[in-house]
Coordinates of all heavy atoms in Angstrom, one line a residue:
K151 N 0.8 -1.2 0.0 CA 0.0 0.0 0.0 C 0.9 1.2 0.0 O 2.0 1.2 0.5 CB -1.0 0.0 1.2 CG -0.3 0.0 2.5 CD -1.3 -0.1 3.7 CE -2.2 1.2 3.7 NZ -3.1 1.2 4.9
S152 N 0.3 2.4 -0.5 CA 1.1 3.6 -0.6 C 0.2 4.8 -0.5 O -0.8 5.0 -1.2 CB 1.8 3.6 -2.0 OG 2.4 4.8 -2.2
F153 N 0.6 5.7 0.4 CA 0.0 7.0 0.5 C 0.4 7.9 -0.7 O -0.4 8.8 -1.1 CB 0.4 7.8 1.8 CG -0.3 7.2 3.0 CD1 0.4 6.3 3.9 CD2 -1.6 7.5 3.3 CE1 -0.2 5.8 5.0 CE2 -2.2 7.0 4.4 CZ -1.5 6.2 5.3
L154 N 1.5 7.7 -1.3 CA 1.9 8.4 -2.5 C 0.9 8.1 -3.6 O 0.6 9.0 -4.4 CB 3.3 8.0 -2.9 CG 4.5 8.5 -2.0 CD1 5.7 7.7 -2.3 CD2 4.7 10.0 -2.2
G155 N 0.4 6.9 -3.7 CA -0.5 6.5 -4.7 C -1.8 7.3 -4.6 O -2.4 7.7 -5.6
G156 N -2.2 7.5 -3.3 CA -3.5 8.3 -3.1 C -3.3 9.7 -3.6 O -4.3 10.3 -4.1
I157 N -2.1 10.3 -3.4 CA -1.9 11.7 -3.8 C -1.9 11.8 -5.3 O -2.5 12.7 -5.9 CB -0.6 12.2 -3.2 CG1 -0.7 12.4 -1.7 CG2 -0.2 13.6 -3.8 CD1 0.6 12.8 -1.0
G158 N -1.2 10.8 -5.9 CA -1.2 10.7 -7.4 C -2.6 10.6 -8.0 O -3.0 11.3 -9.0
S159 N -3.4 9.8 -7.4 CA -4.8 9.6 -7.8 C -5.6 10.9 -7.7 O -6.4 11.3 -8.6 CB -5.5 8.5 -7.0 OG -6.9 8.4 -7.3
F160 N -5.4 11.7 -6.6 CA -6.1 13.0 -6.5 C -5.7 14.0 -7.6 O -6.5 14.7 -8.2 CB -5.8 13.6 -5.1 CG -6.3 15.0 -5.0 CD1 -7.7 15.2 -4.7 CD2 -5.5 16.1 -5.2 CE1 -8.2 16.5 -4.7 CE2 -6.0 17.4 -5.1 CZ -7.3 17.6 -4.8
L161 N -4.3 14.1 -7.7 CA -3.8 15.0 -8.7 C -4.3 14.7 -10.1 O -4.6 15.6 -10.9 CB -2.3 15.0 -8.7 CG -1.6 15.5 -7.4 CD1 -0.1 15.2 -7.5 CD2 -1.9 17.0 -7.2
E162 N -4.4 13.4 -10.5 CA -5.0 13.0 -11.7 C -6.5 13.4 -11.8 O -7.0 14.0 -12.9 CB -4.9 11.5 -11.9 CG -5.3 11.0 -13.3 CD -4.2 11.2 -14.3 OE1 -3.0 11.0 -13.9 OE2 -4.5 11.6 -15.4
A163 N -7.3 13.2 -10.8 CA -8.7 13.5 -10.8 C -9.0 15.0 -10.8 O -9.9 15.4 -11.5 CB -9.3 12.9 -9.5
W164 N -8.1 15.8 -10.2 CA -8.3 17.2 -10.2 C -8.3 17.9 -11.6 O -8.9 18.9 -11.7 CB -7.2 17.9 -9.3 CG -7.4 19.4 -9.1 CD1 -6.8 20.4 -9.8 CD2 -8.2 20.0 -8.1 NE1 -7.2 21.6 -9.3 CE2 -8.1 21.4 -8.3 CE3 -9.0 19.5 -7.1 CZ2 -8.7 22.3 -7.4 CZ3 -9.7 20.4 -6.3 CH2 -9.5 21.7 -6.4
Q165 N -7.8 17.2 -12.5 CA -7.7 17.7 -13.9 C -9.1 17.6 -14.6 O -9.2 18.0 -15.7 CB -6.7 17.0 -14.7 CG -5.2 17.2 -14.1 CD -4.2 16.5 -14.9 OE1 -3.5 17.0 -15.8 NE2 -4.1 15.2 -14.7
G166 N -10.0 16.9 -14.0 CA -11.3 16.7 -14.5 C -12.1 18.0 -14.8 O -11.7 19.0 -14.3
G167 N -13.3 17.8 -15.4 CA -14.1 19.0 -15.7 C -14.8 19.6 -14.5 O -14.8 19.0 -13.4
D168 N -15.4 20.8 -14.7 CA -16.0 21.5 -13.6 C -17.6 21.2 -13.6 O -18.2 21.4 -12.5 CB -15.8 23.0 -13.8 CG -14.5 23.4 -13.4 OD1 -13.9 22.8 -12.4 OD2 -13.9 24.4 -14.0
E169 N -18.1 20.8 -14.7 CA -19.6 20.7 -14.7 C -20.0 19.5 -13.8 O -19.6 18.4 -13.9 CB -20.1 20.3 -16.1 CG -21.6 20.2 -16.2 CD -22.1 19.8 -17.6 OE1 -21.2 19.8 -18.6 OE2 -23.3 19.6 -17.8
G170 N -20.9 19.9 -12.8 CA -21.4 18.9 -11.9 C -20.4 18.7 -10.7 O -20.7 17.8 -9.9
F171 N -19.4 19.5 -10.6 CA -18.4 19.2 -9.5 C -18.2 20.6 -8.7 O -18.4 21.7 -9.3 CB -17.0 18.8 -10.0 CG -17.0 17.4 -10.5 CD1 -17.5 17.0 -11.7 CD2 -16.5 16.4 -9.6 CE1 -17.5 15.7 -12.1 CE2 -16.5 15.0 -10.0 CZ -17.0 14.7 -11.3
A172 N -17.8 20.4 -7.5 CA -17.4 21.6 -6.7 C -16.0 21.4 -6.2 O -15.6 20.2 -5.9 CB -18.3 21.8 -5.5
R173 N -15.2 22.4 -6.2 CA -13.8 22.3 -5.7 C -13.7 23.1 -4.4 O -13.9 24.4 -4.4 CB -12.8 22.8 -6.7 CG -12.9 22.0 -8.0 CD -12.0 22.7 -9.1 NE -12.3 22.1 -10.4 CZ -11.7 21.1 -11.0 NH1 -10.7 20.5 -10.3 NH2 -12.0 20.6 -12.2
I174 N -13.5 22.5 -3.2 CA -13.6 23.1 -1.9 C -12.3 22.8 -1.1 O -11.9 21.6 -1.1 CB -14.8 22.7 -1.2 CG1 -16.1 23.1 -2.0 CG2 -14.9 23.2 0.2 CD1 -17.3 22.5 -1.5
I175 N -11.8 23.7 -0.4 CA -10.8 23.5 0.6 C -11.5 23.7 2.0 O -12.2 24.7 2.2 CB -9.5 24.3 0.5 CG1 -8.4 23.8 1.4 CG2 -9.9 25.8 0.7 CD1 -7.1 24.4 1.2
S176 N -11.2 22.8 2.9 CA -11.9 22.9 4.2 C -10.9 22.5 5.3 O -9.9 21.9 5.1 CB -13.1 21.9 4.3 OG -12.7 20.6 4.2
E177 N -11.3 22.9 6.6 CA -10.5 22.6 7.7 C -11.4 21.9 8.7 O -12.5 22.4 9.1 CB -9.9 23.8 8.4 CG -9.0 23.5 9.5 CD -8.3 24.7 10.1 OE1 -9.1 25.7 10.5 OE2 -7.1 24.8 10.3
Q178 N -11.0 20.8 9.3 CA -11.7 20.1 10.3 C -10.8 19.5 11.3 O -9.6 19.3 11.1 CB -12.5 18.9 9.6 CG -13.6 19.3 8.7 CD -14.3 18.1 8.1 OE1 -13.7 17.1 7.8 NE2 -15.6 18.3 7.8
N179 N -11.4 19.4 12.5 CA -10.6 18.8 13.6 C -10.5 17.3 13.5 O -11.5 16.6 13.5 CB -11.2 19.2 15.0 CG -11.0 20.6 15.3 OD1 -9.9 21.2 15.1 ND2 -12.0 21.3 15.9
G180 N -9.3 16.8 13.3 CA -9.1 15.4 13.1 C -8.5 14.8 14.4 O -8.4 15.4 15.5
K181 N -8.1 13.5 14.3 CA -7.6 12.8 15.5 C -6.3 13.4 16.0 O -6.0 13.4 17.2 CB -7.4 11.4 15.1 CG -7.0 10.4 16.2 CD -6.9 9.0 15.7 CE -6.5 8.0 16.9 NZ -6.3 6.7 16.4
F182 N -5.6 14.0 15.0 CA -4.3 14.6 15.4 C -4.3 16.1 15.3 O -3.3 16.8 14.9 CB -3.2 14.0 14.5 CG -3.1 12.5 14.6 CD1 -3.6 11.7 13.6 CD2 -2.6 11.9 15.7 CE1 -3.5 10.3 13.6 CE2 -2.5 10.5 15.8 CZ -3.0 9.7 14.8
G183 N -5.4 16.7 15.5 CA -5.5 18.2 15.5 C -6.2 18.7 14.2 O -6.7 17.9 13.4
P184 N -6.2 20.0 13.9 CA -6.8 20.5 12.7 C -6.2 20.0 11.4 O -5.0 19.8 11.4 CB -6.5 22.1 12.8 CG -6.2 22.3 14.3 CD -5.6 21.0 14.8
Q185 N -7.0 19.7 10.5 CA -6.6 19.1 9.2 C -7.2 19.8 8.0 O -8.4 20.0 8.0 CB -6.9 17.6 9.2 CG -6.5 16.9 7.9 CD -6.8 15.4 8.0 OE1 -6.1 14.7 8.8 NE2 -7.7 14.9 7.3
L186 N -6.4 20.1 7.0 CA -6.9 20.7 5.8 C -7.1 19.6 4.8 O -6.4 18.7 4.6 CB -5.8 21.7 5.2 CG -5.6 23.0 6.0 CD1 -4.5 23.8 5.4 CD2 -6.8 23.8 6.1
S187 N -8.2 19.8 4.0 CA -8.5 18.9 2.9 C -9.0 19.7 1.7 O -9.8 20.6 1.8 CB -9.7 17.9 3.4 OG -9.3 17.1 4.4
L188 N -8.5 19.2 0.6 CA -8.9 19.8 -0.7 C -9.8 18.8 -1.4 O -9.4 17.6 -1.6 CB -7.7 20.1 -1.6 CG -7.9 20.8 -2.9 CD1 -8.6 22.2 -2.7 CD2 -6.5 21.0 -3.6
H189 N -11.0 19.2 -1.7 CA -12.0 18.2 -2.3 C -12.3 18.6 -3.7 O -12.5 19.7 -4.1 CB -13.3 18.3 -1.5 CG -13.1 18.1 0.0 ND1 -13.0 16.8 0.6 CD2 -12.9 19.0 1.0 CE1 -12.8 17.0 1.9 NE2 -12.8 18.3 2.2
Y190 N -12.4 17.5 -4.5 CA -13.0 17.5 -5.9 C -14.2 16.7 -5.7 O -14.2 15.5 -5.8 CB -12.0 17.0 -6.9 CG -12.5 17.0 -8.3 CD1 -12.9 18.1 -8.9 CD2 -12.5 15.8 -9.0 CE1 -13.4 18.1 -10.2 CE2 -13.0 15.7 -10.3 CZ -13.4 16.9 -10.9 OH -13.9 16.9 -12.2
S191 N -15.4 17.4 -5.5 CA -16.6 16.7 -5.1 C -17.6 16.7 -6.1 O -18.0 17.8 -6.7 CB -17.1 17.4 -3.8 OG -16.2 17.3 -2.7

């Protein structure tokens, strides 16, 4: 397993179209404190 693979998958997906999608950055409290997430939703 690889976390690097997860990042590569996101970077690939981010190049997709905008129609029907929202691009959001958010901050939430996680198990190890505040965590930033960039979403292609």
Side-chain angles (χ1 to χ4, degrees):
K151 61 183 297 184
S152 169
F153 285 100
L154 288 165
I157 294 176
S159 175
F160 171 82
L161 295 173
E162 188 77 43
W164 186 264
Q165 299 177 98
D168 283 325
E169 183 180 356
F171 285 82
R173 301 172 192 269
I174 299 170
I175 189 165
S176 66
E177 183 180 55
Q178 294 179 326
N179 287 321
K181 188 176 181 180
F182 304 104
Q185 179 175 291
L186 291 175
S187 295
L188 184 59
H189 306 274
Y190 179 57
S191 300

